[in-house]
Amino acid sequence: MTITTHQGAPQFPTVLGSIAPSAREEMDAAIEVLQAHKDEWVAFSIHDRIDLIDRLIRDFAAIVSRWVKASIEAKGIAEDSLYVGEEWAAGAWPVLKNLRQLRQSLVDIEGNGHPKIPGRVTTRRGGQVVAQVFPDTIYDRIFFERIRA
Amino acid sequence: MEPGVTVEDLPQTQAIAYHDKQRIGKVALVLGAGNVASIGPLDVLYKLFVENQVALFKANPVNAYLGPLLDEAFRVLINHGFLRIVYGGAAEGSYLCNHPGVDEIHITGSDKTFDAIVFGTGSEGAKRKAERAPLLTKRVTGELGNVSPVIVIPGSWKAGDLAYQAEHIDTMLTNNAGFNCNATRVIIQYAGWQQRSQLLQEMRRILAQIPPRRAYYPGAFERHQIFIEEHPEAEHIGLAKEQQLPWTFIAGVDPGNIDDVCFTTEAFCSLFAETALQAKSVPEYIDSAVAFANQHIWGTLNATIIVHPASLKDPAIAAAVERAIENLKYGTVGINIWAGAGFTFGTTTWGAFPGHEINNIQSGMGVVHNTLMFSRAQKSVLWGPFRSVLTPAWFVTRGKIACKLFPKLVAFEAAPSPLKVPGIMAAASGV
């Protein structure tokens, strides 16, 4: 049952997921592993991070059809529904798009110390600095007609 | 960028996690959202690659079914010990937040959850919040929802303009069945605009063609009911079957009633509202619409402005739109493009306008995505064409094209190649 709210975002009701909640011992063990590796991550070289991202792109692409299928099934969207495109567009595409951009940023950091801003950097009246960040690639220009940010 | 950042300094504000040689590792707890499938992995990637923290991801019970797939896709991070995935609801979340081995927390969810994490629950929590005495002193960032406004700037619109923008606005609601934090909830119009009701009629006409969708997100029916009780005049569009909610539209909400549920509360279901402001002129209307959104509509995540290019030829209107872009206290502002689209672009930041007090957190603190790794970004401003040559594939009536196009765009990002461009362009054109 939802607790009624008249301010802000919802107070969502508690629901049970399709996967049983983790036991405390499992959560403790997970945190222990992460604590043991957190400094290793900070020391992980940019070169190795780029390799990691390549692997993540490959592995996410390998499951992406199942990712979309799981989402539409859970949301009650039929496989031939016209809403399936939404799951590809918002549920899947941004993950690969971000991974590819992060990869490029890492390449730039390795080369110049910081990610390359793809567009112009200007100053508004009043002094506020504005960086144009989209389109980021030549392909963005082709696929996203007259959209910029 | 935030005030104080200069053109010369800008590169030094990027990727700061990569420049701090003394930096020590941290464990970030990421509390996943249940509505959009990409949010969890994107938040994890942000913590790892932008903030340099290893991540403990708690899948949201609503979409916990994605957990095993994420486990498979991000296996390499798990094998290195840089990521763990756990499951559970509020009880597990609370246990993890208070765990001494969790250094920082990021949540995409509700301000109610943020408050519970930071101040605790019940009357004790409320007291702590009032006294600004957090129970938890770890850094907590989050994107916590929004009542997202669209400001329509009046002009001389053709029938095609009205139909196009009506579909644009309807899409901002119908996407994901209305379960988006960036979904439009309040359309602000100029009371003196002769085409105000025409735009509303077009919106109704298009909504009536869109079959109602399953209200899959928990609590939707109860939330919907709250709004209907306060607004019995609400229009129900479409015949909702079992488990579905009709598209629901509340037109002409009194802007003088600033405590109206439509302004103060995120419906997070298939419902939106419209209000109209009086003003002596269009520029004055734009200024008051911005002030109204900033002051009376809850949240600061994203706001959209719709303006005809002919209107921008009037210097007074153009100047007012420039002021609006500057003054809207929102993390993303879209001009002629749903600001919610900024969620997908990646190089843009996604999050609340910076500077909220911990006991009035609104849409949250911090940003995600931001793949250019700015540390002092203030807001992302998107520009789109008032009318595209091709109606965008993400518009609600273009589902057939979207179903063909977006899998191709996904395949493109997996392995970009110029050879894939013609196929993508053909899909976008509906060929």
Side-chain angles (χ1 to χ4, degrees), chain A residues 54-74:
Chain A
D54 284 335
R55 180 73 194 273
L56 290 169
I57 290 172
R58 210 174 68 214
D59 291 352
F60 191 81
I63 61 112
V64 71
S65 298
R66 285 186 285 146
W67 181 262
V68 169
K69 194 161 183 279
S71 297
I72 62 169
E73 269 172 19

Side-chain angles (χ1 to χ4, degrees), chain B residues 67-85:
Chain B
L69 290 170
L70 189 65
D71 188 295
E72 204 177 320
F74 283 13
R75 177 49 49 184
V76 64
L77 292 168
I78 293 170
N79 287 345
H80 277 288
F82 301 148
L83 170 69
R84 282 292 179 275
I85 300 172

Side-chain angles (χ1 to χ4, degrees), chain A residues 33-133:
Chain A
V33 170
L34 293 168
Q35 281 290 345
H37 290 88
K38 64 182 188 179
D39 291 327
E40 188 189 325
W41 173 243
V42 173
F44 210 68
S45 77
I46 291 174
H47 189 79
D48 289 343
R49 285 173 193 239
I50 293 169
D51 286 346
L52 260 187
I53 291 213
D54 284 335
R55 180 73 194 273
L56 290 169
I57 290 172
R58 210 174 68 214
D59 291 352
F60 191 81
I63 61 112
V64 71
S65 298
R66 285 186 285 146
W67 181 262
V68 169
K69 194 161 183 279
S71 297
I72 62 169
E73 269 172 19
K75 293 179 181 183
I77 299 170
E79 268 185 50
D80 57 353
S81 161
L82 299 183
Y83 295 128
V84 173
E86 282 181 8
E87 286 302 324
W88 285 99
W93 180 69
V95 178
L96 288 165
K97 184 85 180 149
N98 267 242
L99 280 167
R100 199 147 286 290
Q101 291 168 347
L102 286 169
R103 187 189 192 284
Q104 186 58 47
S105 287
L106 290 171
V107 169
D108 293 344
I109 292 169
E110 203 175 31
N112 307 306
H114 53 82
K116 182 173 179 291
I117 297 168
R120 293 196 307 153
V121 176
T122 52
T123 308
R124 286 174 69 91
R125 262 186 316 164
Q128 186 171 32
V129 172
V130 178
Q132 195 179 335
V133 299

Side-chain angles (χ1 to χ4, degrees), chain B residues 395-415:
Chain B
F395 274 34
V396 63
T397 64
R398 304 288 145 159
K400 214 168 163 178
I401 291 173
C403 288
K404 284 189 183 155
L405 173 65
F406 287 107
K408 285 186 193 291
L409 279 175
V410 165
F412 179 86
E413 291 303 336

